[in-house]
Amino acid sequence: MADVARRAGVSAQTVSRVSNGHPGVVDSTREQVLAAMQELGYRPNSAARALKYGQFRTIGVILFTLATVGNSRTLEAIVDHAAEEGYAITLIPVAVPTRDGVLGAFTRLGELAVDAVIVSMEVHLLDAATVNLPVGVPVVVVASEADDRYVVVDTDQVDGAVQAVRHLLELGHHTVWHVAGPEESFVAERRATGWQTTLEQAGRPVPPLVHGDWSAESGYRAGLALVDEPDCTAVFAANDQMALGLLRAFHEKGKVVPRDVSVVGFDDIPDSTSFIPPLTTVHQDFAEVGRRCVERVLRQVRNKPVEPGTTLVPTRLVLRDSTSAPPA
Amino acid sequence: MADVARRAGVSAQTVSRVSNGHPGVVDSTREQVLAAMQELGYRPNSAARALKYGQFRTIGVILFTLATVGNSRTLEAIVDHAAEEGYAITLIPVAVPTRDGVLGAFTRLGELAVDAVIVSMEVHLLDAATVNLPVGVPVVVVASEADDRYVVVDTDQVDGAVQAVRHLLELGHHTVWHVAGPEESFVAERRATGWQTTLEQAGRPVPPLVHGDWSAESGYRAGLALVDEPDCTAVFAANDQMALGLLRAFHEKGKVVPRDVSVVGFDDIPDSTSFIPPLTTVHQDFAEVGRRCVERVLRQVRNKPVEPGTTLVPTRLVLRDSTSAPPA
DNA sequence: CGCCGAAATGTTTGCGTAAACATCCACCGG
DNA sequence: CCGGTGGATGTTTACGCAAACATTTCGGCG
């Protein structure tokens, strides 16, 4: 900055004013400064700026993996909306999804230059780590169960499951089987809850729960087990990937979807339109989830009031060709 | 820091020494300082640190979208390896994949606190923006064509395509059709090049190129066109998603894969094992690509010699059930 | 018993920036 | 023609930290 000032024949303060678009600089001076900046390739040092302002204009995002569609889509939405607000996103990976792993991430976080944090994980894992949470750093949690101690944003998992199951019951299926996500996942648990309560409220039998691990392979294995169940005419898979595996299993075993078995997924990943057959599934609005996360976390950064509690983003059922009335 | 020093009854410098694990502090003093830090919830200010050291320990990553499997997997690998080296990753989104969009990203980048940049885009888009590249900031480019002006890391696209086409020719197919990615993509172009040269070297006819846009839907549309081609017994799709669309199109039109038509994809996304049938595809080692990016960019940050040029990560063909000899 | 040297700790300084305050100058009105 | 006024610009200072240098302390040895 001093170099620019010297070159332009002004003081450093004037350079600062030009650089920040402050008023009170005569055009001719401004142009000289601008020219000097150009020639010297000057760019403001963000560390010094951050030091001065006490803010980094950066939000940290903690997550386990980008391998799931939901995580990466949500992240993308967060990045985009943060950029609109002039905030950058710093990624903090959690190597292993255990308490120790989370603890490590939060320790690293302590040294990081972030004004706020968006955490994508289950609250029960977060609890172990909150001791490490720098005080005064706003936190928003995504993809977790509702919890009034934190500011939570999430897709309305339960309602999505309810819509899926209702749709199948309305088509005439006596009951609906469910291929859930892994046991330790609260998201999986909540989708399962929506499934179970809907069946119970309708007075239908609740078949045993089948657990997968979100992967298509696990859906395939679940499907191989389900083809032998005589009364299994409708399956609700907790995500689209497992639904893909189900479709393959049924296909291999000669069951035609939707004639013999109906299948509903969850997520509405782009590929699901090209499954065989195109998949009826619960659409998640990842972009909206990301948007709300950024909005709520920035409200806190700007010291506007934010009450703890859960913001639910609605889902909607997308009807395609994998569901129909049960076989006569 | 001053508060901690006062509380522990020492000077700020001693606090700094403890905080950085410097030697020359007696245990009893160290413990007092540590205790004071704990009580006051002290965290070193990374802006001040960065200002002092002139480094941020952060790498910026510029990319268009996380919607593609390749991008998000590569990003994940970059994040993980950077974390191992003690570097954080800041994401810089490019709203629209045009020169203006890229220009905007690089302008924002100039204000960002990064020591180096990994750019995931075509070099021809990068050229427009290099004027904005802060001098002295190391850059590594991923997923672009080879270019000796930059340090480039990429999957060996051409060889992957060659393997795919050779496999199909060896099975006895007379020629291979290709569903390519969008015309403006160099990645797509290079896969197409590998396909075309392999056919030419084998003295086979080169069918007209069909362009998709990477999406399963576009693969489906391409498939609907290909079913009417009488000599089309083998198709190489430029990614797995388009291959998925092909499978659906063939299925709907009564063509059995692989009996009537063989299909090979590119990427080896996890879902491809559960396509109907499981997809033979070219495996990309995204993790390795990410690892090398970080390694090469950090070499530059540390002022070790890095020659411009391309590092190619090998691919391998994964055989599953979507290919076989052509119908008699 | 006093001096030396090494280890432990303290003091000064500057990193690049922008807010707060100070100065300068031109122009206006009386 | 001079004081006043306000806009343009300059100077000082502090942000939090750590390197460089300065000082203190203490043990060991002649």
Side-chain angles (χ1 to χ4, degrees), chain B residues 22 63 90 93 105 112 127 137 140 143 150 152 156 176 210-211 218 226 249 252 258 260 283 307:
Chain B
H22 281 240
L63 37 67
T90 290
L112 245 43
D127 280 342
V137 175
V140 166
Y150 299 98
V152 177
D156 193 342
V176 176
V210 185
H211 278 287
S218 72
L226 289 179
E252 284 187 3
D260 302 325
H283 179 85
E307 292 172 17

Side-chain angles (χ1 to χ4, degrees), chain A residues 43 46-47 51 56 65-66 76 79-80 89-91 93 110-111 113 134 216-217 241 248 251 271 273-276 278, chain B residues 43 46-47 51 56 65-66 76 79 89-91 93 110-111 113 132 134 216-217 241 248 251 271 273-276 278:
Chain A
R43 27 193 75 254
S46 53
L51 180 59
F56 304 98
T65 175
L66 285 170
E76 174 153 47
V79 171
D80 287 343
I89 294 296
T90 290
L91 245 39
E111 298 155 10
E217 274 294 316
Q241 260 105 25
R248 176 177 157 222
H251 177 82
D271 291 358
T273 62
S274 291
F275 288 180
I276 301 173
Chain B
R43 323 191 304 104
S46 52
L51 180 58
F56 305 98
T65 174
L66 285 170
E76 174 153 48
V79 171
I89 294 296
T90 290
L91 246 39
E111 297 155 11
N132 285 46
E217 274 294 317
Q241 261 105 24
R248 177 177 158 223
H251 177 85
D271 291 358
T273 63
S274 291
F275 288 0
I276 302 173

